[in-house]
Amino acid sequence: MRASYFRISKTLTVCVCQFIRPTAAFQSALYSSDAGRIFEAESKPSVAVVGVGAVGGYYGARLWDCGAYDVKFHMRGDNFSQCKKNGLDVKSVHGDIHIPSDQLQAYTDTSEIGKVDWVVVALKSTSLNAIPSLVSPLLDPERTRIIVIMNGLIENDLIKMLKEFHGENVDDEELNFCKALYGGMALLCSNRVAPGSIEHSFASLLSYGVAAHSADTTVKESLDNCQEFWKPVKNVETRLELSLLGGRWRKNVWNLPFNGISVAMGGITVDKVVEDEGLRKLAYEVMDETIAIANAELEKHGYDSSLFLGDEDKEKMFDLSDNMGPYKTSTMIDLTERRPMEVQYLFQEPLKRARSLGVDVPHLETIVAQICALQKWHGLF
Amino acid sequence: MRASYFRISKTLTVCVCQFIRPTAAFQSALYSSDAGRIFEAESKPSVAVVGVGAVGGYYGARLWDCGAYDVKFHMRGDNFSQCKKNGLDVKSVHGDIHIPSDQLQAYTDTSEIGKVDWVVVALKSTSLNAIPSLVSPLLDPERTRIIVIMNGLIENDLIKMLKEFHGENVDDEELNFCKALYGGMALLCSNRVAPGSIEHSFASLLSYGVAAHSADTTVKESLDNCQEFWKPVKNVETRLELSLLGGRWRKNVWNLPFNGISVAMGGITVDKVVEDEGLRKLAYEVMDETIAIANAELEKHGYDSSLFLGDEDKEKMFDLSDNMGPYKTSTMIDLTERRPMEVQYLFQEPLKRARSLGVDVPHLETIVAQICALQKWHGLF
């Protein structure tokens, strides 16, 4: 078993779904009705958000909006200059948020932020190898917890990179550079439409699981900590994944068919996939293949079949997709705007695992061949 | 067994490959060295070419050029008016041909042509149901032979349509409206680049087999007749298919991967497929699936396994494709120029047969779903 996966007792429930609604008393402690926000950074846990795009910008703004945290944002280029000028703007079906420029703590260098309690990393997986040097200044081994809200089967490589960066033995199960590392799976329709401007149109589920932790804590404690962290945050549905591996694959049940077909077809929106009889069937077939790889890998790592993925996961993803409208998947936008595409961790890694597990995935294989060709022709690495 | 397929004695060789080179004596009988072409229409077998595009224009010009036939062309619209003005122009790697307008017998109505010895039909399969009324005025049941040089598994439907049009019993094995109906498979790189203007860049193989014939002849006689018909034609390599069904599938071994992937990828040329590692592998996989359907169907119709398709067919098609350069497949041009695409007979019919034969073809299924979606969105029926 790899250090990044954990067997969970069969007696625990698979997941905890919750809509977090802070009490009125809690809210009134954070806001005064006429004087606006009470700014009490010193007494609050500190959070650094690294990567303020569609995902980091959305969850970062929600973390700021709840008032429970001292949130600092790491951003660069146009995003930084626009936010410094006009603040960060999130238009959301779950309620708009605007962080005025004079209240937005934006930094272009993480060493200016210093050590924090929580690091939320929401970069594209194409930037994976930039993460160790970026987050290193933020880490206090005694207290920092990192949650990586990203796509793809990234944990094996990320943990290895972080350990190597901090001079730790890559074969150790435990981490020394931080208290815990979480994988986060965002299931939300959010796009960064311009520098400093995010539009969120549908869903906001954030599920998370433990990738690895320090020697002086446990998976259970780490999960509890993360659950506490998200508790004050309004309008974010969270789900605790007792198996991060299962969670990653559950996210893939959406990503592989929908990011996959949207890109393989040259850049189409989700409604085009679900409304076309043939592509809808193809999406189901890619889902079936994804679940087959997932369950083979869960089995290989010793998980009980009660944790396996199944038809319920498939139908849930289709229900969501049927209600998404003309949503542009992240990889589709990368293609149409000619930006680096998350091909390696999102598409090639699942295929690689399918091959090593002996799972036949011809539909997925076909669309991944097409995606790789598009990536190569347009140089989107 | 359907009327359109024929079992062939196992002792016959599978195919006859030939490069036709008319003798000098034969040529001198058709041309005079100083006075140009001897026009002796009355004494020559008559040919009507229906559909003067990339394929019909090319083979029609070769039939005219050899001088052995009185060739009449059925064409319409811009093609007709351009040809009436400037003639028909074929630029070919195997030698250019120009039919001057004063020597080009062009008609917009087949009833003006009257009955002929041979009808060469080279329409797109999207026009299949227009064929009976178009060719009917050309047919003398006592002497007319029809060769349909088209893509796709068309024969079942075409024979039914022609029989119904001529009031014949569709369940009869024999035909009454003509002497023989042949299926022709063109493996050549030819495009109609403008009205009256054809460019031929590579290969010129024409294979043919018997689809059905009248009661007073046999498959063997019919094949001999067709072989004689093409004998005088210069620079056209012909191959006789003892099983038309096998020939159709052999053509599909190229069409399904190359027309298929070129369209599924939104319109790419053949070089892009063969030069990309992933798409090349995909083309091989689609070929394997095509051969699996082919052999299942040949087996079902009682053909001996010596007639089955195999690796040799696959490698031949790849050798050809590796030398094609940036060739635009016909279906790719249909997509990019927003013209009706040959989806039904070229892609859906093979899939339908795979399903009824219980052959699993997931790679083909994936690209056909994509092609159907593109066809629907752009209304290319």
Side-chain angles (χ1 to χ4, degrees), chain A residues 289 292-294 296-297 351 353-362:
Chain A
E289 292 177 352
I293 318 171
E297 191 167 37
L351 259 196
R353 296 196 187 182
R355 282 186 198 123
S356 84
L357 293 159
V359 179
D360 197 32
V361 293

Side-chain angles (χ1 to χ4, degrees), chain A residues 169-191:
Chain A
N169 187 340
V170 294
D171 296 326
D172 284 351
E173 280 229 1
E174 283 80 22
L175 307 172
N176 295 314
F177 59 85
C178 72
K179 285 288 275 186
L181 180 72
Y182 305 86
M185 284 71 67
L187 210 96
L188 86 168
C189 293
S190 181
N191 292 145

Side-chain angles (χ1 to χ4, degrees), chain A residues 276 362-363 365-366 370 376, chain B residues 276 362-363 365-366 370 376:
Chain A
D276 179 84
H363 298 90
E365 191 179 56
T366 304
Q370 297 175 326
K376 195 180 74 179
Chain B
D276 179 84
H363 298 89
E365 190 178 58
T366 304
Q370 297 175 326
K376 195 180 74 181

Side-chain angles (χ1 to χ4, degrees), chain B residues 269-288:
Chain B
T269 47
V270 169
D271 56 333
K272 294 267 188 194
V273 179
V274 294
E275 288 167 14
D276 179 84
E277 191 190 359
L279 296 183
R280 187 181 181 89
K281 184 168 173 282
L282 178 59
Y284 267 109
E285 275 155 350
V286 173
M287 278 190 185
D288 284 335

Side-chain angles (χ1 to χ4, degrees), chain A residues 75-350:
Chain A
M75 42 174 81
R76 285 174 172 164
D78 288 351
N79 213 27
F80 177 80
S81 47
Q82 179 61 30
C83 284
K84 286 305 275 185
K85 201 171 145 200
N86 295 320
L88 177 63
D89 199 58
V90 176
K91 293 267 176 294
S92 166
V93 285
H94 295 172
D96 297 347
I97 299 172
H98 179 73
I99 311 182
S101 58
D102 60 352
Q103 289 183 48
L104 182 77
Q105 304 182 72
Y107 303 84
T108 55
D109 185 341
T110 49
S111 63
E112 296 168 34
I113 298 176
K115 296 179 193 314
V116 294
D117 297 298
W118 284 86
V119 181
V120 176
V121 183
L123 295 167
K124 280 166 66 177
S125 58
T126 45
S127 303
L128 202 72
N129 55 17
I131 292 177
S133 59
L134 262 178
V135 304
S136 177
L138 306 167
L139 306 182
D140 177 346
E142 296 304 314
R143 62 180 168 114
T144 310
R145 294 164 184 279
I146 309 172
I147 177 163
V148 183
I149 312 179
M150 290 168 63
N151 273 328
L153 299 167
I154 55 171
E155 275 77 18
N156 289 1
D157 283 1
L158 179 59
I159 290 172
K160 190 167 174 280
M161 286 175 194
L162 283 163
K163 283 187 171 173
E164 280 170 352
F165 189 88
H166 292 94
E168 297 181 18
N169 187 340
V170 294
D171 296 326
D172 284 351
E173 280 229 1
E174 283 80 22
L175 307 172
N176 295 314
F177 59 85
C178 72
K179 285 288 275 186
L181 180 72
Y182 305 86
M185 284 71 67
L187 210 96
L188 86 168
C189 293
S190 181
N191 292 145
R192 200 189 76 174
V193 293
S197 181
I198 289 154
E199 281 183 14
H200 166 245
S201 58
F202 185 63
S204 66
L205 177 68
L206 176 69
S207 65
Y208 53 85
V210 177
H213 57 81
S214 64
D216 62 350
T217 186
T218 64
V219 171
K220 176 71 171 64
E221 281 169 11
S222 300
L223 283 172
D224 288 347
N225 265 289
C226 200
Q227 203 169 354
E228 285 303 309
F229 175 62
W230 290 103
K231 205 169 241 173
V233 181
K234 290 176 287 180
N235 293 322
V236 172
E237 183 189 2
T238 58
R239 188 171 66 189
L240 185 156
E241 296 279 0
L242 296 185
S243 154
L244 176 57
L245 183 62
R248 282 282 174 220
W249 279 109
R250 195 167 285 113
K251 182 73 197 296
N252 279 346
V253 170
W254 195 84
N255 276 344
L256 298 191
F258 289 103
N259 275 277
I261 297 170
S262 73
V263 174
M265 292 296 293
I268 60 168
T269 48
V270 169
D271 56 332
K272 294 268 187 192
V273 180
V274 295
E275 288 167 13
D276 179 84
E277 191 189 358
L279 296 183
R280 187 181 180 88
K281 185 169 171 280
L282 177 59
Y284 267 109
E285 276 155 349
V286 173
M287 279 191 184
D288 285 335
E289 292 177 352
T290 305
I291 289 173
I293 318 171
N295 292 345
E297 191 167 37
L298 288 167
E299 190 175 10
K300 181 187 157 196
H301 287 286
Y303 287 99
D304 185 84
S305 63
S306 64
L307 290 179
F308 287 7
L309 278 62
D311 285 349
E312 201 194 12
D313 298 288
K314 218 162 69 178
E315 293 311 324
K316 231 180 251 171
M317 292 305 184
F318 256 98
D319 281 351
L320 275 170
S321 310
D322 280 333
N323 289 296
M324 266 181 202
Y327 179 63
K328 295 176 180 181
T329 70
S330 60
T331 326
M332 175 210 153
I333 295 177
D334 289 339
L335 174 66
T336 56
E337 300 196 359
R338 302 288 188 260
R339 295 195 301 227
M341 295 205 296
E342 300 189 285
V343 176
Q344 182 184 353
Y345 291 103
L346 196 46
F347 296 107
Q348 286 172 324
E349 184 63 28

